[in-house]
Amino acid sequence: MFECQFNDLQIFLFSIPLGFIFAIAYEIVTYSLYSLRKKIWVCYTRDILFFLTAGIFTFMFLLVVNFGEFRFFVFIGEFLGWILCRFTVGKLIRFAFQIIRGKMVSILCSI
């Protein structure tokens, strides 16, 4: 059997930024489709596609750092990164999208 490239602590620490990136991507996807939010099938489709994509990237991450071996602490690290982003940078992203949306609405209303 091959020896792992990284130890468990390094893999855990690498998974935190991955969860952070997933949270930023989810914020961008969510607010870019904000005008279609009223349609429930759009929300379901968006979420399913996002989580399938996140699962594929998680598997590729595991292939690189741990030869594809699933470890529970990787998912804990991703969740921790997600939570850290959601309560820090995620608020700034939501605020920026609200400003952009407000300016777009004011421009469209003035036309």
Side-chain angles (χ1 to χ4, degrees):
M1 184 104 197
F2 294 108
E3 223 176 285
C4 291
Q5 306 177 43
F6 301 101
N7 65 28
D8 293 345
L9 178 63
Q10 288 174 325
I11 294 170
F12 174 73
L13 293 175
F14 289 151
S15 67
I16 293 173
L18 184 63
F20 200 88
I21 292 168
F22 286 159
I24 290 174
Y26 188 74
E27 293 289 338
I28 291 171
V29 167
T30 300
Y31 281 98
S32 64
L33 297 174
Y34 190 74
S35 62
L36 301 174
R37 193 170 121 180
K38 307 247 189 261
K39 298 178 182 176
I40 194 76
W41 65 271
V42 173
C43 291
Y44 289 146
T45 305
R46 176 196 64 209
D47 288 344
I48 289 170
L49 289 175
F50 177 79
F51 285 108
L52 282 174
T53 305
I56 290 168
F57 278 107
T58 298
F59 180 68
M60 291 186 334
F61 169 75
L62 286 171
L63 281 175
V64 170
V65 299
N66 203 24
F67 299 108
E69 194 173 313
F70 286 95
R71 299 286 178 107
F72 188 67
F73 58 81
V74 172
F75 301 107
I76 292 172
E78 285 182 0
F79 180 72
L80 183 62
W82 179 283
I83 295 298
L84 286 172
C85 179
R86 186 83 174 145
F87 293 115
T88 56
V89 178
K91 289 183 179 183
L92 295 173
I93 292 172
R94 287 190 293 275
F95 181 70
F97 270 109
Q98 288 174 352
I99 291 174
I100 291 169
R101 185 171 171 255
K103 290 192 185 261
M104 288 177 63
V105 167
S106 66
I107 289 171
L108 292 175
C109 289
S110 67
I111 294 177

